[in-house]
Every structure is written in structure tokens, then in C-alpha cells.
Amino acid sequence: METVRSRRDEYSDATRRALLDAATELFARDGFAATSLDAVAAECRVTKGAVYHHFAGKQALFEEVLTESAQSTCDAIVAEASRHTDVWDGASAGLDVFLARCQDPVYLRLCFQEGPAALGFTQWWQHGERYEMGLIGAMLAALKAEGLLDVDDVEVLTQLLFGSMTAAALSVARSDDRAEIARRIKDVLTRVLVGLRPPEPSSRSRSRRR
């Protein structure tokens, strides 16, 4: 039996969506500290009480904006990676998507500039772990399953790469040439992962002869 949604439900959903869109624009433009709930409400032509109906406060609203941004990035990475039958090519394509998102001013401002200030470092880091860690771990596990990764402790490698990618995003955020720093990050990280591949059979044979 289908549930019939009332006009009130539809209006509530539309209001919530409008609040999130307005908050995303204001947080990215003016920053967390300078953005007030009054400004968000005014942007949507609703009362401040309407904001509180959907969100406990400004931090809760920001967390939801941050969550949407992180989730949409993860979804885009998975979608691009899944287009490739080769696991290595898929992981490389997923990395390209992440680095492209890191060059987007809104994503950078929300996730890597305002995020730590709004949530505090520990909560901000945990928020990132909730989304990116599982994705990185799944990609590494797939590489290992295909024999493209010679590392037993994938969990620790996942943590290391998560930290590295967070630092990489912060580097892009601070750079005057975001495209160039993203290219350099891709090159170095690819070299690191290539270095973690199992030795070629010929290399193992030469090692035994020595």
C-alpha cells in the first residue's frame, strides 16, 4: 500500500531543501562564523522558527550541509570508479574525481576550511572518517584482491591514506595553482601505490639468485 504524502509533508521537505541550499551558499561565501540563522531564514523567506523546526541550531545545520557535500563526493567517486572494469583504472579515476572536487571553491571552503572551525578538529576529523575511510578501505581491499597491493595491514594503510588525502586537500586549498598541486599529488600518490605492488616474478627470481 502506497503512502500518500500530504501537502504539508511536501512543503516541509521543500522548506528543508531550500534551507540547506541557502545555508550551503552562505557558509561557502561568508563562512560559518559570519553566517547567522536569521540570514539563512531571510534567504528562504521563512521565519527563524522554521529553521529551528528542521535543525537544532547553526552547527546542526552546518553538519548537514557538510554531510551532503561529503556524501555527494563519495557518490561521484564510486560512480566514476565503477565505470572501469580494471580495478587499478577505477581507483585512479576515483582519485581524479576527488582531486577535481578539491579544486571546487565551495567544497574546499565547506569541508576543509570551515569544517574544522565549525565542528572543532576532533569532530571534523571523525566526520571525514565516517565517509572517506570506508571508501578508501574498499578501494584498497579491491586492489589487494586483484593482487595489485602487497600489504597485509590494509586497515593501517587506509588510515595513512586518509590522513594523506586530507593533507592533500588542505594543500590544494592553500595553493594559488590548484590544478598544478592536484596534478603533483596524483603523481606522487600513484607512485606510492605502485611501490606497494607485489614484486614482478623476474624481480623475485633475481633476488633468489643473489
Side-chain angles (χ1 to χ4, degrees):
M1 180 178 178
E2 294 184 2
T3 301
V4 178
R5 292 176 56 80
S6 68
R7 289 185 178 179
R8 179 178 294 181
D9 290 334
E10 292 175 353
Y11 176 77
S12 178
D13 289 348
T15 300
R16 188 177 190 276
R17 179 71 263 158
L19 289 169
L20 285 169
D21 290 343
T24 298
E25 180 181 348
L26 291 172
F27 285 138
R29 189 188 69 195
D30 302 331
F32 176 79
T35 298
S36 67
L37 291 183
D38 289 315
V40 175
E43 190 74 17
C44 298
R45 297 182 181 179
V46 298
T47 65
K48 189 174 180 180
V51 182
Y52 279 111
H53 175 75
H54 292 279
F55 304 99
K58 186 167 77 166
Q59 182 166 320
L61 176 58
F62 180 83
E63 284 186 54
E64 187 63 27
V65 167
L66 196 64
T67 293
E68 283 199 342
S69 183
Q71 187 63 63
S72 66
T73 298
C74 288
D75 290 345
I77 291 171
V78 170
E80 181 60 32
S82 64
R83 293 178 56 203
H84 300 266
T85 55
D86 182 86
V87 176
W88 181 269
D89 289 344
S92 179
L95 177 59
D96 286 338
V97 171
F98 174 73
L99 291 173
R101 290 300 295 270
C102 284
Q103 297 173 61
D104 176 71
V106 173
Y107 179 73
L108 273 181
R109 181 84 188 262
L110 292 174
C111 293
F112 296 101
Q113 294 175 322
E114 297 303 317
L119 304 183
F121 179 82
T122 299
Q123 189 175 345
W124 168 71
W125 189 268
Q126 291 171 344
H127 187 278
E129 287 180 325
R130 196 176 310 135
Y131 291 91
E132 285 86 17
M133 284 275 281
L135 182 57
I136 294 172
M139 286 188 170
L140 292 177
L143 290 171
K144 184 173 176 61
E146 290 293 318
L148 299 173
L149 193 64
D150 188 20
V151 175
D152 292 328
D153 201 335
V154 174
E155 180 181 357
V156 168
L157 180 59
T158 299
Q159 293 171 343
L160 290 174
L161 285 183
F162 170 69
S164 297
M165 295 312 298
T166 302
L170 292 171
S171 295
V172 173
R174 293 193 300 267
S175 176
D176 293 329
D177 190 344
R178 291 173 176 171
E180 173 61 15
I181 193 66
R183 183 197 64 76
R184 290 167 58 192
I185 289 168
K186 170 72 181 291
D187 180 65
V188 172
L189 185 58
T190 300
R191 288 171 179 266
V192 168
L193 291 176
V194 167
L196 294 175
R197 284 182 171 185
E200 296 293 333
S202 58
S203 299
R204 288 196 290 266
S205 298
R206 285 196 297 271
S207 297
R208 284 196 294 269
R209 287 197 296 270
R210 289 175 184 172

Short mmCIF file of all heavy atoms in Angstrom, two decimals, residues 91-150:
data_model
loop_
_atom_site.label_atom_id
_atom_site.label_comp_id
_atom_site.label_asym_id
_atom_site.label_seq_id
_atom_site.Cartn_x
_atom_site.Cartn_y
_atom_site.Cartn_z
N ALA A 91 40.35 2.90 -9.46
CA ALA A 91 40.89 3.63 -8.32
C ALA A 91 41.53 4.94 -8.78
O ALA A 91 41.38 5.99 -8.14
CB ALA A 91 41.91 2.77 -7.59
N SER A 92 42.22 4.88 -9.92
CA SER A 92 42.86 6.09 -10.46
C SER A 92 41.80 7.11 -10.87
O SER A 92 41.94 8.32 -10.60
CB SER A 92 43.73 5.72 -11.66
OG SER A 92 44.34 6.86 -12.21
N ALA A 93 40.73 6.64 -11.48
CA ALA A 93 39.65 7.55 -11.90
C ALA A 93 38.95 8.16 -10.69
O ALA A 93 38.58 9.33 -10.69
CB ALA A 93 38.65 6.80 -12.77
N GLY A 94 38.77 7.35 -9.64
CA GLY A 94 38.17 7.86 -8.42
C GLY A 94 39.02 8.94 -7.78
O GLY A 94 38.50 9.94 -7.27
N LEU A 95 40.33 8.75 -7.81
CA LEU A 95 41.25 9.76 -7.28
C LEU A 95 41.14 11.06 -8.09
O LEU A 95 41.16 12.15 -7.52
CB LEU A 95 42.69 9.23 -7.31
CG LEU A 95 43.78 10.20 -6.85
CD1 LEU A 95 43.54 10.67 -5.42
CD2 LEU A 95 45.15 9.54 -6.96
N ASP A 96 41.00 10.93 -9.40
CA ASP A 96 40.82 12.12 -10.24
C ASP A 96 39.58 12.91 -9.84
O ASP A 96 39.60 14.14 -9.80
CB ASP A 96 40.71 11.70 -11.71
CG ASP A 96 42.04 11.28 -12.31
OD1 ASP A 96 43.08 11.68 -11.76
OD2 ASP A 96 42.03 10.54 -13.30
N VAL A 97 38.50 12.19 -9.54
CA VAL A 97 37.27 12.86 -9.12
C VAL A 97 37.48 13.61 -7.82
O VAL A 97 37.07 14.77 -7.67
CB VAL A 97 36.11 11.84 -8.97
CG1 VAL A 97 34.89 12.51 -8.33
CG2 VAL A 97 35.74 11.25 -10.32
N PHE A 98 38.14 12.96 -6.86
CA PHE A 98 38.39 13.61 -5.58
C PHE A 98 39.23 14.87 -5.76
O PHE A 98 38.92 15.92 -5.19
CB PHE A 98 39.09 12.65 -4.62
CG PHE A 98 39.51 13.30 -3.32
CD1 PHE A 98 38.56 13.62 -2.36
CD2 PHE A 98 40.84 13.60 -3.07
CE1 PHE A 98 38.93 14.24 -1.17
CE2 PHE A 98 41.22 14.20 -1.89
CZ PHE A 98 40.26 14.52 -0.93
N LEU A 99 40.29 14.77 -6.54
CA LEU A 99 41.16 15.92 -6.73
C LEU A 99 40.46 17.04 -7.50
O LEU A 99 40.72 18.22 -7.28
CB LEU A 99 42.44 15.49 -7.46
CG LEU A 99 43.38 14.60 -6.63
CD1 LEU A 99 44.53 14.10 -7.49
CD2 LEU A 99 43.90 15.34 -5.41
N ALA A 100 39.54 16.66 -8.39
CA ALA A 100 38.76 17.68 -9.09
C ALA A 100 37.82 18.38 -8.12
O ALA A 100 37.67 19.62 -8.17
CB ALA A 100 37.95 17.04 -10.23
N ARG A 101 37.21 17.62 -7.21
CA ARG A 101 36.34 18.24 -6.21
C ARG A 101 37.13 19.16 -5.29
O ARG A 101 36.62 20.18 -4.81
CB ARG A 101 35.63 17.16 -5.38
CG ARG A 101 34.59 16.38 -6.12
CD ARG A 101 33.47 17.24 -6.67
NE ARG A 101 32.66 17.87 -5.63
CZ ARG A 101 31.58 17.34 -5.09
NH1 ARG A 101 31.17 16.14 -5.48
NH2 ARG A 101 30.89 17.98 -4.18
N CYS A 102 38.38 18.78 -5.02
CA CYS A 102 39.23 19.60 -4.16
C CYS A 102 39.55 20.95 -4.79
O CYS A 102 40.01 21.86 -4.10
CB CYS A 102 40.53 18.87 -3.83
SG CYS A 102 40.33 17.56 -2.61
N GLN A 103 39.34 21.08 -6.08
CA GLN A 103 39.56 22.36 -6.74
C GLN A 103 38.29 23.20 -6.81
O GLN A 103 38.32 24.34 -7.27
CB GLN A 103 40.10 22.11 -8.16
CG GLN A 103 41.46 21.42 -8.16
CD GLN A 103 41.91 21.03 -9.56
OE1 GLN A 103 42.08 21.88 -10.43
NE2 GLN A 103 42.08 19.74 -9.78
N ASP A 104 37.18 22.64 -6.34
CA ASP A 104 35.92 23.37 -6.31
C ASP A 104 35.90 24.27 -5.08
O ASP A 104 36.02 23.80 -3.96
CB ASP A 104 34.75 22.39 -6.26
CG ASP A 104 33.42 23.11 -6.13
OD1 ASP A 104 33.00 23.73 -7.11
OD2 ASP A 104 32.82 23.08 -5.04
N PRO A 105 35.74 25.57 -5.25
CA PRO A 105 35.81 26.50 -4.11
C PRO A 105 34.80 26.22 -3.01
O PRO A 105 35.11 26.37 -1.83
CB PRO A 105 35.56 27.87 -4.76
CG PRO A 105 35.92 27.69 -6.19
CD PRO A 105 35.55 26.28 -6.52
N VAL A 106 33.58 25.81 -3.39
CA VAL A 106 32.55 25.55 -2.37
C VAL A 106 32.92 24.33 -1.54
O VAL A 106 32.86 24.36 -0.30
CB VAL A 106 31.17 25.35 -3.04
CG1 VAL A 106 30.13 24.90 -2.01
CG2 VAL A 106 30.73 26.65 -3.70
N TYR A 107 33.32 23.25 -2.19
CA TYR A 107 33.71 22.03 -1.48
C TYR A 107 34.90 22.29 -0.56
O TYR A 107 34.91 21.88 0.60
CB TYR A 107 34.05 20.94 -2.49
CG TYR A 107 34.49 19.63 -1.87
CD1 TYR A 107 33.57 18.79 -1.26
CD2 TYR A 107 35.82 19.23 -1.92
CE1 TYR A 107 33.96 17.59 -0.69
CE2 TYR A 107 36.22 18.03 -1.36
CZ TYR A 107 35.29 17.21 -0.75
OH TYR A 107 35.70 16.01 -0.18
N LEU A 108 35.89 22.99 -1.08
CA LEU A 108 37.07 23.29 -0.28
C LEU A 108 36.71 24.14 0.93
O LEU A 108 37.16 23.86 2.05
CB LEU A 108 38.11 24.04 -1.13
CG LEU A 108 39.09 23.20 -1.94
CD1 LEU A 108 40.04 24.12 -2.69
CD2 LEU A 108 39.86 22.24 -1.06
N ARG A 109 35.92 25.17 0.72
CA ARG A 109 35.59 26.09 1.81
C ARG A 109 34.82 25.35 2.90
O ARG A 109 35.13 25.49 4.09
CB ARG A 109 34.76 27.27 1.28
CG ARG A 109 34.38 28.31 2.36
CD ARG A 109 35.51 29.29 2.58
NE ARG A 109 35.26 30.16 3.70
CZ ARG A 109 34.77 31.41 3.60
NH1 ARG A 109 34.45 31.88 2.41
NH2 ARG A 109 34.63 32.16 4.67
N LEU A 110 33.83 24.58 2.50
CA LEU A 110 32.98 23.90 3.48
C LEU A 110 33.73 22.81 4.22
O LEU A 110 33.70 22.75 5.46
CB LEU A 110 31.76 23.30 2.78
CG LEU A 110 30.73 24.27 2.20
CD1 LEU A 110 29.66 23.52 1.43
CD2 LEU A 110 30.09 25.10 3.31
N CYS A 111 34.39 21.93 3.47
CA CYS A 111 34.95 20.72 4.07
C CYS A 111 36.32 20.92 4.72
O CYS A 111 36.62 20.25 5.72
CB CYS A 111 35.06 19.62 3.02
SG CYS A 111 33.46 19.02 2.45
N PHE A 112 37.12 21.81 4.19
CA PHE A 112 38.50 21.88 4.68
C PHE A 112 38.90 23.23 5.27
O PHE A 112 39.99 23.35 5.83
CB PHE A 112 39.45 21.51 3.54
CG PHE A 112 39.27 20.09 3.10
CD1 PHE A 112 38.56 19.80 1.95
CD2 PHE A 112 39.75 19.03 3.85
CE1 PHE A 112 38.36 18.49 1.54
CE2 PHE A 112 39.56 17.73 3.47
CZ PHE A 112 38.86 17.45 2.31
N GLN A 113 38.03 24.22 5.18
CA GLN A 113 38.34 25.50 5.81
C GLN A 113 37.35 25.80 6.94
O GLN A 113 37.74 26.06 8.07
CB GLN A 113 38.34 26.61 4.76
CG GLN A 113 39.47 26.44 3.74
CD GLN A 113 39.43 27.46 2.61
OE1 GLN A 113 38.36 27.82 2.13
NE2 GLN A 113 40.59 27.91 2.17
N GLU A 114 36.07 25.72 6.63
CA GLU A 114 35.06 26.00 7.66
C GLU A 114 34.81 24.80 8.57
O GLU A 114 34.47 24.96 9.73
CB GLU A 114 33.75 26.44 7.00
CG GLU A 114 33.85 27.73 6.21
CD GLU A 114 34.36 28.88 7.06
OE1 GLU A 114 33.90 29.02 8.21
OE2 GLU A 114 35.22 29.63 6.57
N GLY A 115 34.97 23.61 8.04
CA GLY A 115 34.70 22.40 8.82
C GLY A 115 35.43 22.33 10.15
O GLY A 115 34.80 22.16 11.22
N PRO A 116 36.75 22.46 10.16
CA PRO A 116 37.48 22.39 11.44
C PRO A 116 37.08 23.51 12.40
O PRO A 116 37.01 23.30 13.61
CB PRO A 116 38.95 22.54 11.00
CG PRO A 116 38.98 22.15 9.58
CD PRO A 116 37.66 22.59 9.01
N ALA A 117 36.81 24.69 11.86
CA ALA A 117 36.44 25.82 12.71
C ALA A 117 35.05 25.63 13.31
O ALA A 117 34.81 25.96 14.47
CB ALA A 117 36.50 27.12 11.91
N ALA A 118 34.13 25.11 12.52
CA ALA A 118 32.75 24.97 12.97
C ALA A 118 32.56 23.81 13.93
O ALA A 118 31.82 23.92 14.92
CB ALA A 118 31.83 24.79 11.76
N LEU A 119 33.21 22.69 13.66
CA LEU A 119 32.99 21.48 14.45
C LEU A 119 34.07 21.24 15.51
O LEU A 119 33.84 20.46 16.44
CB LEU A 119 32.93 20.26 13.52
CG LEU A 119 31.88 20.29 12.39
CD1 LEU A 119 31.91 18.98 11.64
CD2 LEU A 119 30.50 20.58 12.94
N GLY A 120 35.20 21.88 15.38
CA GLY A 120 36.35 21.52 16.21
C GLY A 120 37.10 20.40 15.51
O GLY A 120 36.50 19.60 14.79
N PHE A 121 38.41 20.32 15.73
CA PHE A 121 39.23 19.39 14.95
C PHE A 121 38.79 17.95 15.10
O PHE A 121 38.65 17.22 14.11
CB PHE A 121 40.71 19.52 15.34
CG PHE A 121 41.59 18.56 14.58
CD1 PHE A 121 42.03 18.88 13.31
CD2 PHE A 121 41.96 17.33 15.13
CE1 PHE A 121 42.83 18.00 12.60
CE2 PHE A 121 42.75 16.45 14.42
CZ PHE A 121 43.19 16.78 13.15
N THR A 122 38.57 17.50 16.33
CA THR A 122 38.26 16.09 16.56
C THR A 122 36.97 15.67 15.87
O THR A 122 36.93 14.66 15.16
CB THR A 122 38.15 15.78 18.07
OG1 THR A 122 39.41 16.08 18.70
CG2 THR A 122 37.80 14.32 18.31
N GLN A 123 35.91 16.44 16.03
CA GLN A 123 34.64 16.10 15.41
C GLN A 123 34.72 16.20 13.90
O GLN A 123 34.12 15.39 13.17
CB GLN A 123 33.52 17.00 15.95
CG GLN A 123 32.12 16.58 15.53
CD GLN A 123 31.04 17.42 16.18
OE1 GLN A 123 31.29 18.15 17.14
NE2 GLN A 123 29.83 17.34 15.65
N TRP A 124 35.45 17.20 13.41
CA TRP A 124 35.63 17.35 11.97
C TRP A 124 36.37 16.14 11.39
O TRP A 124 35.98 15.58 10.36
CB TRP A 124 36.42 18.63 11.67
CG TRP A 124 36.90 18.74 10.26
CD1 TRP A 124 36.15 18.98 9.14
CD2 TRP A 124 38.26 18.63 9.80
NE1 TRP A 124 36.94 19.02 8.03
CE2 TRP A 124 38.24 18.81 8.40
CE3 TRP A 124 39.47 18.40 10.46
CZ2 TRP A 124 39.40 18.76 7.64
CZ3 TRP A 124 40.63 18.36 9.69
CH2 TRP A 124 40.59 18.53 8.31
N TRP A 125 37.42 15.69 12.07
CA TRP A 125 38.19 14.53 11.61
C TRP A 125 37.32 13.28 11.61
O TRP A 125 37.34 12.49 10.67
CB TRP A 125 39.41 14.33 12.50
CG TRP A 125 40.38 13.31 11.99
CD1 TRP A 125 40.40 11.97 12.28
CD2 TRP A 125 41.48 13.53 11.09
NE1 TRP A 125 41.43 11.36 11.63
CE2 TRP A 125 42.11 12.29 10.90
CE3 TRP A 125 41.97 14.67 10.44
CZ2 TRP A 125 43.22 12.14 10.08
CZ3 TRP A 125 43.10 14.52 9.63
CH2 TRP A 125 43.70 13.27 9.45
N GLN A 126 36.54 13.09 12.66
CA GLN A 126 35.66 11.93 12.75
C GLN A 126 34.60 11.96 11.65
O GLN A 126 34.21 10.92 11.13
CB GLN A 126 34.99 11.88 14.13
CG GLN A 126 35.96 11.54 15.25
CD GLN A 126 35.35 11.69 16.63
OE1 GLN A 126 34.30 12.33 16.79
NE2 GLN A 126 35.97 11.10 17.63
N HIS A 127 34.13 13.14 11.32
CA HIS A 127 33.15 13.27 10.24
C HIS A 127 33.76 12.81 8.92
O HIS A 127 33.12 12.09 8.13
CB HIS A 127 32.68 14.72 10.12
CG HIS A 127 31.55 14.92 9.15
ND1 HIS A 127 31.76 15.03 7.80
CD2 HIS A 127 30.21 15.02 9.34
CE1 HIS A 127 30.60 15.19 7.18
NE2 HIS A 127 29.65 15.20 8.09
N GLY A 128 34.99 13.20 8.68
CA GLY A 128 35.67 12.76 7.47
C GLY A 128 35.88 11.26 7.45
O GLY A 128 35.69 10.60 6.42
N GLU A 129 36.25 10.69 8.59
CA GLU A 129 36.44 9.25 8.69
C GLU A 129 35.16 8.50 8.34
O GLU A 129 35.20 7.44 7.72
CB GLU A 129 36.89 8.86 10.10
CG GLU A 129 38.31 9.24 10.43
CD GLU A 129 38.70 8.85 11.85
OE1 GLU A 129 37.82 8.91 12.74
OE2 GLU A 129 39.86 8.47 12.06
N ARG A 130 34.03 9.04 8.77
CA ARG A 130 32.74 8.38 8.57
C ARG A 130 32.44 8.16 7.10
O ARG A 130 31.79 7.20 6.72
CB ARG A 130 31.64 9.22 9.21
CG ARG A 130 30.32 8.50 9.42
CD ARG A 130 29.34 9.40 10.15
NE ARG A 130 29.94 9.99 11.33
CZ ARG A 130 29.83 11.27 11.68
NH1 ARG A 130 29.12 12.10 10.94
NH2 ARG A 130 30.40 11.72 12.78
N TYR A 131 32.94 9.04 6.24
CA TYR A 131 32.63 8.94 4.82
C TYR A 131 33.80 8.45 4.00
O TYR A 131 33.67 7.51 3.21
CB TYR A 131 32.12 10.30 4.32
CG TYR A 131 30.77 10.63 4.89
CD1 TYR A 131 30.66 11.35 6.08
CD2 TYR A 131 29.61 10.16 4.29
CE1 TYR A 131 29.41 11.62 6.64
CE2 TYR A 131 28.37 10.43 4.84
CZ TYR A 131 28.28 11.15 6.02
OH TYR A 131 27.06 11.39 6.58
N GLU A 132 34.96 9.06 4.14
CA GLU A 132 36.07 8.74 3.25
C GLU A 132 36.80 7.44 3.63
O GLU A 132 37.30 6.74 2.75
CB GLU A 132 37.08 9.89 3.21
CG GLU A 132 36.62 11.07 2.39
CD GLU A 132 35.77 12.04 3.16
OE1 GLU A 132 35.80 11.99 4.41
OE2 GLU A 132 35.07 12.86 2.54
N MET A 133 36.87 7.12 4.92
CA MET A 133 37.64 5.95 5.35
C MET A 133 37.10 4.66 4.72
O MET A 133 37.85 3.82 4.23
CB MET A 133 37.64 5.83 6.87
CG MET A 133 38.57 6.80 7.56
SD MET A 133 40.27 6.20 7.67
CE MET A 133 40.11 5.09 9.06
N GLY A 134 35.77 4.48 4.75
CA GLY A 134 35.19 3.27 4.18
C GLY A 134 35.45 3.16 2.69
O GLY A 134 35.71 2.07 2.16
N LEU A 135 35.39 4.30 2.00
CA LEU A 135 35.63 4.31 0.56
C LEU A 135 37.07 3.96 0.24
O LEU A 135 37.35 3.13 -0.64
CB LEU A 135 35.27 5.69 0.02
CG LEU A 135 35.41 5.90 -1.48
CD1 LEU A 135 34.57 4.90 -2.24
CD2 LEU A 135 35.01 7.33 -1.85
N ILE A 136 38.00 4.57 0.95
CA ILE A 136 39.42 4.27 0.73
C ILE A 136 39.70 2.81 1.04
O ILE A 136 40.39 2.11 0.29
CB ILE A 136 40.31 5.18 1.60
CG1 ILE A 136 40.18 6.63 1.13
CG2 ILE A 136 41.78 4.75 1.52
CD1 ILE A 136 40.87 7.63 2.05
N GLY A 137 39.16 2.32 2.16
CA GLY A 137 39.38 0.93 2.54
C GLY A 137 38.85 -0.04 1.52
O GLY A 137 39.49 -1.06 1.21
N ALA A 138 37.68 0.24 0.94
CA ALA A 138 37.09 -0.64 -0.07
C ALA A 138 37.94 -0.68 -1.33
O ALA A 138 38.15 -1.75 -1.93
CB ALA A 138 35.67 -0.17 -0.41
N MET A 139 38.48 0.47 -1.73
CA MET A 139 39.32 0.52 -2.92
C MET A 139 40.63 -0.25 -2.70
O MET A 139 41.08 -0.99 -3.57
CB MET A 139 39.61 1.96 -3.31
CG MET A 139 38.43 2.67 -3.95
SD MET A 139 38.87 4.30 -4.62
CE MET A 139 37.37 4.70 -5.55
N LEU A 140 41.22 -0.09 -1.52
CA LEU A 140 42.45 -0.81 -1.23
C LEU A 140 42.20 -2.31 -1.15
O LEU A 140 43.02 -3.11 -1.62
CB LEU A 140 43.05 -0.30 0.09
CG LEU A 140 43.59 1.13 0.07
CD1 LEU A 140 44.10 1.53 1.46
CD2 LEU A 140 44.71 1.29 -0.95
N ALA A 141 41.08 -2.70 -0.56
CA ALA A 141 40.74 -4.12 -0.47
C ALA A 141 40.56 -4.72 -1.87
O ALA A 141 40.96 -5.86 -2.13
CB ALA A 141 39.48 -4.31 0.36
N ALA A 142 39.95 -3.95 -2.77
CA ALA A 142 39.77 -4.42 -4.14
C ALA A 142 41.11 -4.57 -4.86
O ALA A 142 41.33 -5.55 -5.59
CB ALA A 142 38.87 -3.45 -4.91
N LEU A 143 42.01 -3.62 -4.64
CA LEU A 143 43.36 -3.73 -5.23
C LEU A 143 44.09 -4.95 -4.69
O LEU A 143 44.76 -5.68 -5.44
CB LEU A 143 44.16 -2.46 -4.93
CG LEU A 143 43.73 -1.19 -5.67
CD1 LEU A 143 44.47 0.02 -5.12
CD2 LEU A 143 43.96 -1.32 -7.17
N LYS A 144 43.97 -5.20 -3.40
CA LYS A 144 44.63 -6.36 -2.79
C LYS A 144 44.05 -7.66 -3.34
O LYS A 144 44.78 -8.61 -3.63
CB LYS A 144 44.48 -6.31 -1.28
CG LYS A 144 45.23 -7.44 -0.55
CD LYS A 144 45.19 -7.25 0.95
CE LYS A 144 45.86 -8.43 1.66
NZ LYS A 144 47.29 -8.55 1.28
N ALA A 145 42.73 -7.71 -3.49
CA ALA A 145 42.07 -8.91 -4.00
C ALA A 145 42.52 -9.23 -5.43
O ALA A 145 42.55 -10.40 -5.83
CB ALA A 145 40.55 -8.73 -3.96
N GLU A 146 42.87 -8.20 -6.19
CA GLU A 146 43.34 -8.39 -7.56
C GLU A 146 44.84 -8.63 -7.63
O GLU A 146 45.41 -8.71 -8.72
CB GLU A 146 42.99 -7.16 -8.40
CG GLU A 146 41.51 -6.99 -8.69
CD GLU A 146 40.96 -8.08 -9.59
OE1 GLU A 146 41.65 -8.43 -10.57
OE2 GLU A 146 39.86 -8.59 -9.31
N GLY A 147 45.49 -8.72 -6.48
CA GLY A 147 46.93 -8.95 -6.45
C GLY A 147 47.75 -7.73 -6.81
O GLY A 147 48.91 -7.84 -7.22
N LEU A 148 47.16 -6.54 -6.64
CA LEU A 148 47.84 -5.29 -7.00
C LEU A 148 48.34 -4.53 -5.79
O LEU A 148 48.82 -3.41 -5.92
CB LEU A 148 46.88 -4.39 -7.79
CG LEU A 148 46.37 -4.97 -9.11
CD1 LEU A 148 45.31 -4.06 -9.72
CD2 LEU A 148 47.52 -5.18 -10.08
N LEU A 149 48.26 -5.15 -4.62
CA LEU A 149 48.69 -4.49 -3.39
C LEU A 149 49.32 -5.53 -2.47
O LEU A 149 48.66 -6.49 -2.06
CB LEU A 149 47.49 -3.83 -2.71
CG LEU A 149 47.76 -2.83 -1.59
CD1 LEU A 149 48.51 -1.61 -2.13
CD2 LEU A 149 46.45 -2.39 -0.95
N ASP A 150 50.59 -5.35 -2.17
CA ASP A 150 51.32 -6.30 -1.34
C ASP A 150 51.45 -5.74 0.08
O ASP A 150 52.55 -5.42 0.55
CB ASP A 150 52.71 -6.57 -1.95
CG ASP A 150 53.44 -7.69 -1.22
OD1 ASP A 150 52.77 -8.49 -0.54
OD2 ASP A 150 54.67 -7.77 -1.33
#
